[in-house]
């Protein structure tokens, strides 16, 4: 997928001026966070579950190799295949090879952010295979040649008119603005695709080491049709999704649904354990799991290991005031919001991704709602440290910081300097009590007034007061 | 006037914004601490908490400033400041040092005795010793309270300022929508991403206006300068103040960004 992250500021500017997008973001803000709050309030032990989730994920990351190998052995025992993909290119090639083996013309796809990460759709199309997204949001995006702006509500940036137009242009049916009619239309069109598909590709929310199972969590049921109807099912997922046992998986399912949509449980929780066995009524003949690394193993043992706990619930972006202002496309690559601001520099490089960990006030709301307590602001700060060491920050910011640091480390110089700065600003403001325009501070005064200082610094006034008090 | 009380010796962490922009906030803090029986001193060798360096990824400068602050506040029973954000930064100091560094233990120890002012008054001093003073105050206005991020989520400050305010006669607290959402200040964020910051503070001033409050109160000057500056730019008459101004009975001083006030003539 094309990387537009370096243009974050321009994209954010456009997003702030896009009335339709702003309306959609307003709905998001009122939707998911409120539902999550209700779900959490109904579960007194939720905080304890978060601790358990954090601790269990930490344990898994300490023994990642062990659980992955156990998972692989179990999948093979069940009659399936496991493929290890170190890079996105490796992953795409593996998937293409499997498709070619079964002479696939079309593949249906369940919703998967990892396939966005590896750019699978474009790769398959370039190789003559037609992928069909079956999650309603993803399907709409595919018709519009668009990309997800949110990891669980991919088309959140669109409105009814957009959907209506996309369906009318592609389905050649009368244009409708009735959501129920549009839904039915999508069902009818997709039903044919489900039946015709040679291969079904899904992601996995978790991979269970003890049973060799993968699970997908959906609310539409499209994933079930995607993975049970075609002869071949390919699960494309990433290495940090492994959990030791089925019981461990249920802990994360409880955390995931509540954190994501405020549901107690998602509508469909579908486990896949190998290909169809003798006596099974349905299921694929071939079962493949592609385990994508793409930089994740490099995070193990580093300050970014905590990020591998992420279960992709989207609570961080749902509660993020920056995401809420500019939407997911501003972030310019696959993963938006706070989790994207940590993950993106790892995957595309800090040189291209540096804008994102800086686009945070460190308000900490993301960390406070994360189901596995990832210290997202701290991890964004680590990226800033990486940038600082590599001198990647803009010159003005670096010199400004260096000048300030020089003074802040020298109290004897700092005091006269602050006295002068206070006096200057006070004089500049005159009798108004505030400054409308301040040279070198346009970032502030273009948008808001600068309240004027009171004239003296506290250190100065305090000293004078103490002196006056000592006099007889 | 030097305080001769026998209460705990408290070092005032002035904070750079109170120092430069609103010394009256630091004076109000001193007044509240002295009323609570503390002996207040202002260590000379303090400058800033180091947060701009910390959040810009400059670990070396952060450590230098942390050492300077730890030395400056050596020996005080408590360190108290009028900001959740700056005191929160003091609480991050242990993260700045390797556990083998001799400043690591001292940083931990500083963390344990540093408090934001409303949390110090409510959690350490206790309501029983404060009630009498607070009951004598009057502020006959509808107010709304902005929860600053570091104070709220890092230090757990939510109920303390509200409990203290509730003692002041005439104060009617009307909670705003999304009181716990960031105002968009974020230190250097507001100048690095001014348009996004502007959207965030515009949302905030809308929520403030919707309450019909006469004054918005908060515990951090960064947020207050941001919100006051936006309210003024929007032509709104809602005033912005630090909560200590109300608790210390210093509301005769013009609110943040209001007309001329010359500190030199008031002291």
């Amino acid at each position: 997928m094309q990387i537009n992250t370096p243009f974050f500021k321009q994209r954010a500017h456009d997003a702030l001026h896009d009335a339709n997008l702003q309306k959609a973001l307003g709905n998001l803000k009122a939707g998911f966070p409120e539902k999550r709050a209700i779900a959490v309030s109904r579960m007194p032990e939720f905080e304890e579950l978060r601790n358990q989730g954090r601790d269990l994920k930490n344990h898994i990351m300490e023994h990642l190799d062990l659980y992955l190998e156990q998972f692989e052995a179990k999948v093979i025992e069940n009659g399936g295949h496991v493929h290890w993909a170190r890079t996105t290119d490796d992953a795409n090639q593996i998937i293409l090879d499997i498709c070619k083996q079964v002479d696939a013309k079309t593949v249906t796809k369940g919703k998967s952010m990892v396939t966005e990460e590896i750019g699978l759709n474009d790769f398959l199309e370039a190789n003559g295979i037609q992928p069909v997204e079956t999650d309603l949001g993803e399907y709409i995006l595919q018709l519009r040649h668009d990309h997800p702006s949110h990891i669980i509500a991919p088309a959140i940036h669109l409105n009814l008119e957009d959907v209506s137009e996309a369906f009318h242009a592609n389905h050649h049916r009368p244009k409708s603005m009735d959501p129920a009619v549009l839904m039915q239309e999508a069902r009818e069109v997709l039903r044919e695709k489900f039946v015709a598909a040679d291969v079904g590709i899904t992601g996995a929310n978790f991979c269970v080491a003890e049973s060799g199972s993968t699970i997908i969590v959906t609310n539409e049921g499209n994933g079930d049709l995607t993975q049970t109807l075609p002869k071949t099912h390919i699960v494309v997922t990433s290495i940090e999704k492994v959990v030791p046992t089925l019981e461990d998986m249920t802990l994360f399912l409880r955390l995931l649904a509540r954190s994501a949509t405020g549901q107690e449980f998602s509508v469909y929780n579908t486990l896949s354990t190998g290909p169809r066995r003798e006596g099974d009524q349905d299921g694929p003949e071939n079962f493949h799991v592609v385990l994508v690394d793409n930089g994740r193993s490099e995070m193990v043992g580093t300050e970014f290991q905590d990020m591998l706990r992420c279960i992709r619930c989207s609570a961080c972006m749902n509660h993020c005031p920056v995401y809420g202002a500019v939407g997911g496309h501003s972030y310019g690559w696959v993963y938006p919001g706070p989790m994207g601001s940590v993950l993106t520099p790892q995957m595309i490089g800090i040189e291209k991704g540096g804008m994102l960990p800086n686009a945070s006030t460190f308000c900490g709301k993301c960390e406070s709602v994360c189901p596995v307590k990832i210290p997202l602001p701290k991890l964004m700060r680590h990226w800033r440290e990486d940038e600082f060491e590599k001198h990647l920050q803009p010159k003005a910011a670096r010199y400004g910081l260096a000048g300030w640091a020089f003074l802040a480390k020298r109290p004897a110089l700092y005091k006269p300097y602050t006295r002068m700065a206070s006096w200057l600003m006070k004089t500049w403001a005159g009798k108004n009590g505030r400054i409308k325009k301040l040279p070198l501070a346009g970032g502030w005064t273009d948008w808001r007034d600068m309240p004027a200082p009171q004239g003296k610094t506290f250190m100065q006034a305090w000293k004078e007061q103490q002196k006056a008090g000592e006099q007889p | 006037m030097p305080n001769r009380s026998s209460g705990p010796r408290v070092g005032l962490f002035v904070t750079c914004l109170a120092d430069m922009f609103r010394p009256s906030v630091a004076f109000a803090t001193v007044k509240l601490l002295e009323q609570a029986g503390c002996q207040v001193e202002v260590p000379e060798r303090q400058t800033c908490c180091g947060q701009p360096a910390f959040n810009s990824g400059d670990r070396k400068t952060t450590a230098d400033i942390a050492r300077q602050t730890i030395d400056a506040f050596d020996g005080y029973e408590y360190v108290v400041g009028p900001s959740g954000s700056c005191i929160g930064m003091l609480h991050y100091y242990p993260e700045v040092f390797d556990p083998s560094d001799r400043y690591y233990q001292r940083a931990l120890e500083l963390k344990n005795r540093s408090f934001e002012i409303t949390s110090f008054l409510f959690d350490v001093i206790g309501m029983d010793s404060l009630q009498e003073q607070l009951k004598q105050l009057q502020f006959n206005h509808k107010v709304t309270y902005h929860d600053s991020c570091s104070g709220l989520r890092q230090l757990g400050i939510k109920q303390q300022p509200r409990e203290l305010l509730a003692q002041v006669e005439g104060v009617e607290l009307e909670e705003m929508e999304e009181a716990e959402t960031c105002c968009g200040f974020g230190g250097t964020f507001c100048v690095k991403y001014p348009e996004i910051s502007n959207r965030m503070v515009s949302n905030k001033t809308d929520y403030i206006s919707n309450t019909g409050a006469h004054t918005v109160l908060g515990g951090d000057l960064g947020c207050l300068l941001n919100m006051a500056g936006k309210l003024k730019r929007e032509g709104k008459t809602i005033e912005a103040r630090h909560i200590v101004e109300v608790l210390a009975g210093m509301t005769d001083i013009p609110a943040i960004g209001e007309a001329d006030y010359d500190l030199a003539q008031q002291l």
Side-chain angles (χ1 to χ4, degrees):
Chain A
M1 186 177 159
Q2 200 184 338
I3 295 168
N4 287 310
T5 307
F7 313 112
F8 174 81
K9 260 190 184 178
Q10 181 57 45
R11 293 166 80 86
H13 169 87
D14 295 343
L16 285 165
H17 292 87
D18 181 338
N20 281 339
L21 174 67
Q22 290 299 322
K23 196 171 155 223
L25 290 171
N27 297 337
L28 171 80
K29 203 162 71 170
F32 288 147
E34 272 173 31
K35 287 178 185 151
R36 176 194 174 276
I38 293 167
V40 168
S41 72
R42 283 186 186 152
M43 188 184 228
E45 70 272 34
F46 190 74
E47 189 60 21
E48 182 47 34
L49 286 189
R50 289 175 73 207
N51 289 334
Q52 287 178 18
R54 174 198 59 204
D55 295 346
L56 179 54
K57 275 279 182 179
N58 283 346
H59 165 84
I60 294 165
M61 293 315 144
E62 294 298 327
H63 304 90
L64 190 56
D65 51 344
L66 185 89
Y67 289 119
L68 284 170
E69 282 174 8
Q70 190 188 354
F71 172 73
E72 179 188 36
K74 277 289 168 186
V75 173
I76 294 168
E77 201 180 303
N78 297 334
H81 306 271
V82 173
H83 310 264
W84 302 85
R86 180 164 290 280
T87 66
T88 58
D89 288 347
D90 292 349
N92 284 325
Q93 194 58 49
I94 290 163
I95 297 161
L96 178 64
D97 289 346
I98 299 167
C99 290
K100 279 182 173 168
Q101 274 169 29
V102 295
D103 201 19
K105 303 280 183 296
T106 69
V107 306
T108 43
K109 280 187 69 205
K111 187 173 160 23
S112 149
M113 289 310 292
V114 174
T115 63
E116 293 287 337
E117 181 185 322
I118 66 175
L120 180 63
N121 285 4
D122 287 348
F123 181 80
L124 288 180
E125 272 184 62
N127 285 280
I129 295 170
Q130 181 56 48
V132 180
E133 295 287 354
T134 64
D135 171 271
L136 183 60
E138 293 279 357
Y139 176 68
I140 295 162
L141 295 181
Q142 192 180 24
L143 294 182
R144 291 171 49 90
H145 307 286
D146 198 354
H147 290 282
S149 65
H150 186 278
I151 62 171
I152 69 160
I156 192 80
H157 57 287
L158 300 178
N159 57 40
L160 182 60
E161 176 69 31
D162 297 324
V163 179
S164 172
E165 268 175 27
F167 278 20
H168 179 60
N170 286 276
H171 298 160
H172 312 293
R173 297 191 188 188
K175 195 173 167 186
S176 169
M177 286 289 280
D178 180 350
V181 171
L182 293 169
M183 187 79 91
Q184 186 56 32
E185 197 173 311
R187 277 173 187 277
E188 285 169 20
V189 173
L190 283 173
R191 194 60 53 143
E192 290 165 25
K193 308 279 187 190
F194 282 124
V195 175
D198 305 298
V199 173
I201 295 176
T202 66
N205 292 87
F206 304 100
C207 301
V208 185
E210 71 168 351
S211 64
S213 311
T214 63
I215 182 169
I216 55 167
V217 175
T218 73
N219 283 316
E220 294 174 20
N222 63 302
D224 294 33
L225 289 171
T226 300
Q227 67 181 41
T228 42
L229 292 180
K231 283 186 176 169
T232 301
H233 176 199
I234 307 175
V235 179
V236 183
T237 189
S238 49
I239 57 172
E240 84 283 12
K241 303 272 169 68
V242 71
V243 297
T245 67
L246 286 159
E247 191 168 343
D248 294 332
M249 178 192 75
T250 61
L251 165 66
F252 291 117
L253 291 179
R254 297 173 84 192
L255 284 167
L256 177 62
R258 287 177 175 84
S259 300
T261 52
Q263 290 166 289
E264 287 177 356
F265 218 54
S266 305
V267 178
Y268 298 88
N269 293 266
T270 310
L271 285 147
S272 299
T273 309
R276 184 196 295 220
R277 291 159 300 187
E278 253 188 65
D280 281 355
Q281 302 256 326
D282 51 24
E285 288 169 20
N286 312 303
F287 180 72
H288 297 267
V289 182
V290 181
L291 289 168
V292 179
D293 182 342
N294 193 26
R296 289 166 175 82
S297 60
E298 287 167 28
M299 296 163 80
V300 176
T302 73
E303 57 212 350
F304 294 109
Q305 179 171 313
D306 289 343
M307 191 61 216
L308 295 174
R309 295 206 294 266
C310 179
I311 58 171
R312 305 292 190 269
C313 71
S314 81
C316 61
M317 60 195 77
N318 296 340
H319 291 79
C320 176
V322 174
Y323 179 96
V326 303
H329 281 165
S330 298
Y331 292 75
W333 195 59
V334 176
Y335 299 107
M339 57 80 73
S341 298
V342 176
L343 215 46
T344 305
Q346 177 72 34
M347 293 182 172
I348 68 172
I350 187 64
E351 293 78 6
K352 287 181 187 161
M355 276 283 178
L356 304 190
N358 280 287
S360 166
T361 62
F362 288 161
C363 80
K365 220 172 187 181
C366 49
E367 182 176 357
S368 74
V369 296
C370 176
V372 285
K373 297 196 167 177
I374 300 171
L376 291 153
K378 182 173 156 185
L379 300 185
M380 285 186 249
R381 189 182 297 115
H382 284 324
W383 279 122
R384 298 187 191 181
E385 286 163 5
D386 193 47
E387 275 198 307
F388 182 83
E389 278 158 27
K390 293 175 176 161
H391 305 292
L392 292 172
Q393 287 147 334
K395 263 190 188 155
R398 274 189 293 147
Y399 293 155
L401 181 70
W404 165 86
F406 181 84
L407 290 167
K409 287 191 279 188
R410 291 168 179 79
L413 272 180
Y414 181 85
K415 288 204 188 89
Y417 178 83
T418 48
R419 278 206 296 272
M420 187 182 68
S422 273
W423 178 82
L424 268 176
M425 270 193 278
K426 166 87 179 155
T427 307
W428 186 274
K431 297 233 170 258
N432 292 324
R434 51 188 183 266
I435 300 164
K436 295 265 178 212
K437 196 151 187 62
L438 190 66
L440 302 175
W444 184 284
T445 54
D446 284 352
W447 308 96
R448 39 178 122 49
D449 290 354
M450 172 78 87
Q454 289 174 327
K456 284 186 181 182
T457 65
F458 173 77
M459 294 308 260
Q460 182 185 10
W462 175 256
K463 216 169 182 175
E464 286 168 12
Q465 199 193 50
Q466 296 297 99
K467 264 192 190 147
E470 278 163 20
Q471 279 160 14
Chain B
M1 196 177 300
N3 190 281
R4 293 190 180 81
S5 133
S6 57
R9 210 170 136 244
V10 173
L12 176 73
F13 190 76
V14 179
T15 77
C16 54
L17 290 177
D19 184 36
M20 282 183 70
F21 279 88
R22 208 160 166 82
S24 55
V25 165
F27 279 112
T29 308
V30 172
K31 188 173 170 187
L32 284 164
L33 289 169
E34 289 185 346
Q35 282 174 355
C38 305
Q39 311 173 57
V40 183
E41 288 175 38
V42 182
E44 277 274 314
R45 299 214 24 102
Q46 60 178 307
T47 58
C48 161
C49 63
Q51 195 170 169
F54 188 55
N55 286 346
S56 300
D58 181 352
R59 288 191 75 100
K60 189 180 170 302
T61 300
T62 311
D64 288 345
I65 293 175
R67 275 189 285 268
Q68 177 178 289
T69 309
I70 291 167
D71 287 340
F73 285 90
D74 202 23
Y76 292 100
E77 201 168 331
Y78 297 106
V79 177
V80 179
S83 161
S85 177
C86 309
I87 296 298
M89 183 61 218
L90 267 51
H91 283 224
Y92 279 128
Y93 283 177
E95 284 185 31
V96 175
F97 299 105
D98 188 272
S100 64
D101 192 304
R102 68 192 176 89
Y103 274 90
Y104 176 75
Q105 274 306 324
R106 296 182 65 196
L108 276 180
E109 184 251 340
L110 177 70
K111 174 180 174 176
N112 292 334
R113 59 190 166 91
S114 313
F115 293 86
E116 182 270 349
I117 180 67
T118 63
S119 125
F120 182 75
L121 293 175
F122 187 78
D123 300 327
V124 179
I125 298 293
M127 215 49 155
D128 292 347
S129 325
L130 299 168
Q131 240 156 0
E132 202 184 322
Q133 295 275 6
L134 292 174
K135 290 267 184 227
Q136 292 172 14
L137 297 169
Q138 216 172 14
F139 190 66
N140 291 318
H141 294 295
K142 189 194 253 192
V143 303
T144 191
Y145 198 86
H146 167 69
D147 294 294
S148 291
C149 300
S150 304
L152 175 71
R153 280 178 278 270
Q154 192 191 350
L155 303 178
I157 296 167
K158 176 77 186 181
Q159 153 214 24
Q160 298 91 326
R162 289 169 173 80
E163 295 278 355
L164 293 166
L165 272 179
Q167 305 300 318
V168 179
E169 202 187 312
V171 168
E172 183 197 340
L173 178 69
E174 175 84 25
E175 296 286 357
M176 70 176 98
E177 198 185 330
E178 297 203 31
E180 298 184 358
T181 298
C182 180
C183 71
F185 173 64
T188 54
F189 174 85
C190 67
V191 285
K192 277 195 290 189
Y193 296 91
E195 279 195 278
I196 303 172
S197 172
N198 177 56
R199 169 56 52 89
M200 289 162 71
V201 72
S202 303
N203 291 344
K204 185 56 79 173
T205 53
D206 284 349
Y207 297 141
I208 294 168
S209 304
N210 291 344
T211 63
H214 169 277
T215 302
V216 55
L217 297 175
D220 267 273
L221 273 174
C223 320
L224 286 162
L225 291 169
N226 184 36
M227 295 185 294
K230 191 66 195 177
L231 287 166
K232 294 294 155 222
R233 181 61 58 94
E234 287 171 341
K236 294 190 170 120
T237 55
I238 301 166
E239 297 190 347
R241 286 185 189 278
H242 196 291
I243 181 173
V244 293
E245 298 173 36
V246 175
L247 299 179
M250 288 170 64
T251 48
D252 50 330
I253 293 170
I256 299 170
E258 292 295 336
D260 191 36
Y261 170 69
D262 202 330
L263 184 72
Q265 288 169 15
Q266 306 291 322
L267 291 172

